[in-house]
Amino acid sequence: MSDAALKEKPSHAGFLKNNLREYGMMLSLFAIMIFFEVVTNGTLLRPLNLTNLVLQNSYIVIMALGMLLVIVTGHIDLSVGSVAGFVGAVAAVLIVKLGVPWVPATLLCLALGGAIGAAQGYWVAYFKIPSFIVTLAGMLVFKGLALAILAGQSVGPFPPAFQKLSSGFIPELFADAGTLYPTSFAIGALLALALVWQNFRSRARQESHGIETEPYGFFLAKNLALFAVIAYFAYLIASHRGLPNVLVIMTVLVALYAFMTTRTVIGRQIYAVGGNEKAAKLSGIKTERLTFLTFVNMGVLAALAGLIFAARLNTATPKAGLGFELDVIAACFIGGASAYGGVGRVGGAVIGALIMGVMNNGMSILGIGIDYQQVIKGLVLLGAVCLDVYNQKRA
Amino acid sequence: MHALLEMRDISKHFTGVRALSGVDLTVEPGEIHALVGENGAGKSTLMKVLSGVHPHGSYEGAILFDGEERRFRDINDSEALGIIIIHQELALIPLMSIAENIFLTDPPSRFGVIDRSAVHRRAKELLAKVGLDEAPDTLVTNIGVGKQQLVEIAKALSKKVRLLILDEPTASLSEKDSAALLELLLEFKAQGIASILISHKLNEVSKVADRITVLRDGRTVDTMDCTAGAVEEDRIIRSMVDRDLEHRYPKRDPKVGDTIFRVRDWSVFHPLHADRQMIRKVDFEVKRGEIVGIAGLMGAGRTEFAMSIFGRSYGRKISGHAEIEGREVDLSTVRRAVDAGLAYVTEDRKQLGLLLADDIRKNITLANLSAVASSNVIDDVKELRVAADYRGRMRIRSHSVYQEAGKLSGGNQQKVVLSKWLFTDPKVLILDEPTRGIDVGAKYEIYCIINELADAGKGVIVISSEMPELIGICDRICVMNEGGFVGEFPGAEATQEKIMRAIMRQAVMPQADVRQVDMRKGERP
């Protein structure tokens, strides 16, 4: 009677097939990078351009982390672009016009972002108003408020210390090392080593408890590639001006959210809410509160992104943040998140954001107009999601 | 002259479960044919085969209509022949008018533009036919369930109907509305329209039916002719219930202790209609090591009762007291109920019980994650050990604990849900339809688990629509109807006939008598 359940046995080919979805995204990113590297005659991976690529996309990546959680719980947040713009405007008014020192101003702005997220999450979580509507309203409200407090004008420039948030680089410990920034390279190489070591350790631990692991050859190749790629990018970044501050912030956040989603109780519960809200509720999970918290979290990250963007432009403009929400949402869906909730990975969202970023950057280098760039990005989004749905159906 | 409809030797399997085996059903022209049987006997499945919901090829056997074999691909094929089914859950669109609903699929139109005056006029004619005195523009949401039922019938009449199938049409109707509906069926009969009437209410069945077919466990057990004289209800009940209870239930030697869980004066109101009382001030208790069954028909309030206890997951204006091991407990949220030692295995494991896309491991630990985590970080090895332990103990058949819950068979899914709740170490378990949609072998295993739980000193409450199951495994059976308990039998004394009678006796009583029954129950020591 349960032959069907007994029949399935893991095999190497089966493993690859099952995990194609997971690695497919990463392979697509590499393919796109190599494609643009070739057609731009090597401009894409030039140290200067690579650094720019990081700076240009950091705020999308950061917001994608929050958006992923919102999407995993089965909701959406359309207001993030406006919130980022609004918080940037508040920061400009506080720092430039009122002369508040940048540290308290930054903290105040992050708290403001959290409060905005709470205000929206409250209606979604406790009043069951569709998040699409609540955040559509929020999008209009905060776009308008940004315009109002800036009185329709750009406000800037920011003090140099604040600008460092986005355009600064980590200090070099060994001066006069020629063209390479050794500290940055060392950090990158250490990070790569740490990741590989971590992977080996967890594999050993799993094996000692008889947990099913991926085939060894595959595992080895994967880690070798991981190490090589990180070390190479560290080298490229280190040969321009070293690690940008914002890359450090971004990396720490990505690591934090990856850990939170996969290893912690709250992460597991968030996925349960998105996977089957009723079942989660009947298992004693406080579904409303978790939904509320994902919106608060989204608000804080949108505020951080707004601050970084303002620091990068060195001015707050009423148009800042326009359309960010679309890039952020697209990044999550390209990265394999499900619009029905319950499915999505931090790594996927980051890769999705990078795919969008590389395409923007590569197409700009090629001189493709903003018009066709959007057409191509739209088609890539549709294609990626179709492929994902197809893969799921086949499985 | 041949029969209007002949279903020959119909068999239908769902993955691992045999729903129908060799069912025969013949309906003569202009006949009212009643189809009766317990919940899960296969009535609805048979009608789905007939209407094309289960298309030709997904079942074995033949359907003959007007003497010709028919192969319905979908519901449109059967409707084209005049076979119209009206489901228990009405398929009306609440915010559209009566007229719009009647002509939803095929409105009278000219060049694709709906002819509104024709819609209005014809709707009016049809409403007159079914005896519904409402303006055709009235929104469906503004009329009562009884009238909505009539709208459904008017909708059926708008098509060329030759065989009308009504699935429990009177389940949610008042006495008066039911009578009117049955009158209507007799009128249709006079016009030559045949009907199949699925109903639990045997008194109305014997009032209007020409013949009665009884289904049991997916088989036709009897077809009775009523034209010669009324068939006794007892005879129907006797053939509805199955006598052979030997060997289907594991033996157990109950060791019943003191009261572990008690509910007093428990009242619950409908979540939307605040004045509709779903549970009427009931008292209930379970003892340590006891398996208590709650019997009743669908809609009796069993699930509502259980869910309202379990963290107020159903209803509002909930009042009453609950005690576990003699201490008053707060059951106001699911978390509190779980912490107090309560577990509830839902009736619908796919919608309410499982994360179908997640693996067995994640499902098992979901309700008690803190037990496999230290300072909120999940210890994956510990979690795996727990999951593997339950997989072995409960004999969950899967290639590993990493298998997706959605890809397991019904029995194994149920074992995963049971594991999830056992891992919270509850004192009292409420199992709502624990064996629905599970094949016989897996059922036996679930019964064994239930017995083990009782032997371990837990209080077990089993809600089931399958009476043989309750009789087979329970130490005590409480019968529920219309939100109150209407009878109670020790397991050894209970028979299906007694249970059925307790329900039926009460089902035909007007509202005033319900209160009397409750009072009598209250007086009992």
Side-chain angles (χ1 to χ4, degrees):
Chain A
M1 61 196 174
S2 53
D3 297 8
L6 289 169
K7 239 185 293 176
E8 280 184 58
K9 267 189 184 140
S11 69
H12 285 205
F15 177 82
L16 258 181
K17 206 180 111 189
N18 290 337
N19 292 273
L20 200 62
R21 195 172 161 214
E22 209 165 294
Y23 298 111
M25 286 298 156
M26 197 173 274
L27 292 177
S28 314
L29 174 62
F30 282 128
I32 290 172
M33 287 182 92
I34 290 166
F35 172 75
F36 281 111
E37 174 71 2
V38 172
V39 295
T40 60
N41 295 322
T43 311
L44 185 82
L45 290 183
R46 261 191 217 143
L48 167 69
N49 190 54
L50 199 66
T51 305
N52 269 335
L53 195 64
V54 170
L55 296 179
Q56 274 169 12
N57 290 292
S58 51
Y59 42 89
I60 301 291
V61 171
I62 287 170
M63 285 194 284
L65 296 174
M67 187 64 78
L68 179 81
L69 295 186
V70 170
I71 289 176
V72 161
T73 55
H75 294 284
I76 197 84
D77 190 340
L78 298 175
S79 71
V80 292
S82 299
V83 172
F86 172 64
V87 171
V90 170
V93 170
L94 284 178
I95 297 172
V96 179
K97 286 203 170 155
L98 302 177
V100 179
W102 74 274
V103 175
T106 302
L107 293 178
L108 215 61
C109 285
L110 293 178
L112 174 66
I116 291 171
Q120 301 194 88
Y122 179 75
W123 298 111
V124 175
Y126 297 104
F127 276 77
K128 311 282 177 213
I129 298 176
S131 54
F132 189 91
I133 295 169
V134 172
T135 59
L136 185 64
M139 179 171 147
L140 295 171
V141 166
F142 296 110
K143 203 188 278 177
L145 283 180
L147 205 62
I149 66 163
L150 290 174
Q153 285 164 349
S154 297
V155 174
F158 287 101
F162 183 73
Q163 289 175 37
K164 284 265 186 323
L165 181 63
S166 137
S167 54
F169 295 84
I170 63 159
E172 180 51 62
L173 298 175
F174 311 95
D176 317 317
T179 53
L180 198 70
Y181 285 70
T183 314
S184 295
F185 180 66
I187 290 174
L190 279 177
L191 179 72
L193 269 179
L195 277 175
V196 170
W197 181 69
Q198 172 69 28
N199 282 347
F200 269 90
R201 214 181 59 144
S202 84
R203 183 184 169 89
R205 192 169 118 100
Q206 286 179 347
E207 270 180 346
S208 72
H209 290 94
I211 301 176
E212 192 184 323
T213 51
E214 54 202 356
Y216 190 69
F218 187 82
F219 174 76
L220 211 62
K222 193 180 89 176
N223 278 286
L224 218 63
L226 179 76
F227 181 81
V229 166
I230 295 180
Y232 180 59
F233 280 92
Y235 169 77
L236 288 177
I237 291 275
S239 48
H240 177 57
R241 289 179 60 190
L243 283 174
N245 289 334
V246 67
L247 180 60
V248 176
I249 297 175
M250 198 175 97
T251 311
V252 169
L253 284 176
V254 168
L256 196 71
Y257 278 84
F259 180 78
M260 198 267 279
T261 51
T262 54
R263 294 291 308 280
T264 65
V265 171
I266 193 168
R268 179 70 65 80
Q269 291 181 337
I270 287 172
Y271 280 79
V273 170
N276 187 343
E277 186 175 356
K278 287 175 185 163
K281 196 163 190 179
L282 284 172
S283 298
I285 291 171
K286 291 171 179 145
T287 55
E288 283 106 351
R289 201 172 72 179
L290 281 176
T291 306
F292 174 73
L293 288 177
T294 58
F295 274 91
V296 173
N297 173 67
M298 180 75 252
V300 174
L301 289 179
L304 178 61
L307 292 172
I308 291 173
F309 189 68
R312 181 170 150 72
L313 290 187
N314 199 14
T315 174
T317 76
K319 286 200 148 187
L322 203 69
F324 281 8
E325 60 278 352
L326 301 179
D327 278 347
V328 172
I329 293 167
C332 291
F333 288 138
I334 290 177
S338 159
Y340 304 106
V343 177
R345 296 162 61 102
V346 165
V350 171
I351 288 171
L354 292 179
I355 286 178
M356 296 287 280
V358 169
M359 287 195 341
N360 279 336
N361 185 279
M363 289 191 292
S364 298
I365 297 171
L366 286 177
I368 297 175
I370 191 83
D371 39 11
Y372 285 105
Q373 282 196 23
Q374 299 202 25
V375 173
I376 293 169
K377 270 159 59 181
L379 293 177
V380 167
L381 170 63
L382 185 65
V385 175
C386 287
L387 198 72
D388 202 41
V389 169
Y390 170 76
N391 272 337
Q392 266 178 323
K393 273 193 182 154
R394 198 197 46 180
Chain B
M1 196 180 132
H2 42 68
L4 177 70
L5 169 77
E6 204 177 326
M7 296 180 83
R8 277 189 201 154
D9 202 20
I10 303 287
S11 296
K12 167 87 188 150
H13 298 256
F14 294 107
T15 37
V17 188
R18 177 180 276 270
L20 295 174
S21 39
V23 173
D24 295 314
L25 179 70
T26 313
V27 180
E28 301 294 339
E31 173 189 50
I32 298 179
H33 196 120
L35 196 57
V36 298
E38 283 187 286
N39 297 338
K43 297 167 302 205
S44 296
T45 310
L46 186 67
M47 290 305 105
K48 281 180 182 163
V49 166
L50 173 58
S51 59
V53 172
H54 297 313
H56 179 80
S58 70
Y59 59 88
E60 294 141 42
I63 299 175
L64 279 74
F65 196 75
D66 281 337
E68 258 175 70
E69 184 171 357
R70 310 287 177 168
R71 298 176 172 186
F72 302 131
R73 281 161 303 173
D74 56 29
I75 201 155
N76 292 328
D77 283 358
S78 61
E79 282 196 355
L81 285 178
I83 302 174
I84 311 284
I85 184 161
I86 296 176
H87 292 280
Q88 198 175 354
E89 306 87 26
L90 299 180
L92 296 174
I93 298 173
L95 291 177
M96 282 192 180
S97 73
I98 293 176
E100 282 169 317
N101 265 291
I102 291 177
F103 295 107
L104 191 64
T105 43
D106 195 14
S109 59
R110 244 177 268 152
F111 310 114
V113 178
I114 295 175
D115 181 349
R116 287 169 70 176
S117 63
V119 168
H120 193 88
R121 183 165 35 81
R122 286 183 49 196
K124 222 171 174 155
E125 286 166 19
L126 289 168
L127 290 180
K129 254 189 207 171
V130 298
L132 179 57
D133 187 22
E134 285 282 346
D137 311 329
T138 314
L139 296 188
V140 162
T141 181
N142 293 336
I143 59 177
V145 191
K147 289 180 176 176
Q148 290 183 6
Q149 189 74 256
L150 294 176
V151 173
E152 275 277 13
I153 294 174
K155 187 175 164 186
L157 292 180
S158 77
K159 301 159 194 166
K160 178 194 55 143
V161 57
R162 300 189 54 208
L163 175 60
L164 188 64
I165 303 164
L166 296 139
D167 191 355
E168 301 248 13
T170 60
S172 45
L173 297 193
S174 70
E175 205 63 26
K176 201 173 128 239
D177 286 345
S178 302
L181 187 94
L182 297 175
E183 205 54 47
L184 199 57
L185 284 187
L186 291 172
E187 220 167 279
F188 290 159
K189 182 185 160 181
Q191 294 166 22
I193 300 174
S195 14
I196 296 177
L197 173 66
I198 299 178
S199 180
H200 277 306
K201 299 187 179 169
L202 297 186
N203 56 328
E204 36 177 75
V205 164
S206 43
K207 214 186 287 173
V208 298
D210 298 312
R211 280 195 300 161
I212 301 171
T213 291
V214 182
L215 284 190
R216 185 175 73 211
D217 298 333
R219 290 166 207 280
T220 319
V221 281
D222 203 357
T223 296
M224 302 165 218
D225 201 331
C226 309
T227 44
V231 176
E232 272 184 46
E233 278 181 32
D234 272 3
R235 189 179 152 207
I236 308 175
I237 291 177
R238 245 179 290 131
S239 48
M240 272 168 75
V241 297
D242 181 4
R243 276 156 198 289
D244 177 29
L245 303 183
E246 309 281 313
H247 312 299
R248 280 174 57 184
Y249 304 99
K251 285 234 151 37
R252 166 168 161 268
D253 186 18
K255 285 179 274 300
V256 177
D258 47 355
T259 301
I260 191 166
F261 178 57
R262 170 179 292 167
V263 176
R264 280 183 292 122
D265 295 335
W266 200 261
S267 287
V268 180
F269 286 83
H270 193 276
L272 299 178
H273 311 293
D275 53 342
R276 206 163 131 202
Q277 190 166 2
M278 301 303 289
I279 302 298
R280 300 159 192 273
K281 252 192 162 200
V282 301
D283 295 340
F284 184 80
E285 65 167 33
V286 197
K287 298 190 170 65
R288 215 180 283 277
E290 186 184 34
I291 303 177
V292 181
I294 303 182
L297 299 174
M298 278 179 205
R302 297 167 300 166
T303 297
E304 290 78 1
F305 176 54
M307 286 185 76
S308 65
I309 292 174
F310 191 64
R312 301 194 180 169
S313 302
Y314 172 88
R316 59 175 181 180
K317 289 204 286 176
I318 296 167
S319 59
H321 302 276
E323 285 171 15
I324 288 182
E325 291 176 330
R327 265 192 305 276
E328 177 111 15
V329 285
D330 174 9
L331 303 177
S332 57
T333 67
V334 174
R335 193 70 255 165
R336 283 181 192 148
V338 173
D339 291 343
L342 215 56
Y344 172 59
V345 175
T346 54
E347 169 183 28
D348 184 343
R349 47 181 179 271
K350 287 192 177 169
Q351 296 293 320
L352 303 176
L354 288 167
L355 305 175
L356 291 170
D358 272 326
D359 58 28
I360 295 173
R361 171 190 56 136
K362 288 184 183 174
N363 272 291
I364 288 179
T365 56
L366 186 66
N368 196 13
L369 276 171
S370 56
V372 291
S374 54
S375 55
N376 283 319
V377 176
I378 294 170
D379 179 342
D380 53 353
V381 171
K382 198 168 173 186
E383 183 182 32
L384 185 80
R385 278 216 197 105
V386 167
D389 179 39
Y390 276 104
R391 177 172 170 254
R393 265 168 49 193
M394 308 288 264
R395 291 185 287 275
I396 299 169
R397 284 177 206 90
S398 61
H399 64 68
S400 76
V401 293
Y402 295 112
Q403 192 166 336
E404 255 177 58
K407 290 184 179 160
L408 298 172
S409 71
N412 286 310
Q413 284 183 344
Q414 188 66 297
K415 290 181 199 167
V416 172
V417 180
L418 277 169
S419 304
K420 170 170 87 177
W421 288 112
L422 292 188
F423 185 49
T424 65
D425 194 22
K427 297 187 176 90
V428 179
L429 278 108
I430 308 173
L431 311 177
D432 199 346
E433 302 286 357
T435 63
R436 172 174 292 174
I438 291 177
D439 58 56
V440 180
K443 273 185 183 174
Y444 192 87
E445 285 183 287
I446 301 277
Y447 299 142
C448 291
I449 294 168
I450 293 174
N451 284 352
E452 278 167 35
L453 293 175
D455 291 342
K458 299 182 190 302
V460 184
I461 301 165
V462 179
I463 298 173
S464 176
S465 299
E466 290 183 36
M467 280 182 279
E469 172 173 288
L470 290 179
I471 295 167
I473 63 172
C474 294
D475 303 321
R476 182 157 59 91
I477 296 172
C478 301
V479 185
M480 203 170 198
N481 202 26
E482 310 224 336
F485 286 103
V486 295
E488 185 178 316
F489 308 98
E493 289 173 27
T495 64
Q496 299 184 58
E497 284 156 71
K498 281 188 189 170
I499 295 173
M500 261 301 187
R501 275 206 194 91
I503 297 169
M504 294 296 171
R505 193 171 52 220
Q506 205 257 348
V508 298
M509 281 179 192
Q511 215 64 309
D513 292 350
V514 175
R515 254 171 266 134
Q516 270 179 7
V517 172
D518 279 353
M519 272 160 52
R520 252 183 281 143
K521 188 175 172 291
E523 280 161 15
R524 202 171 44 209

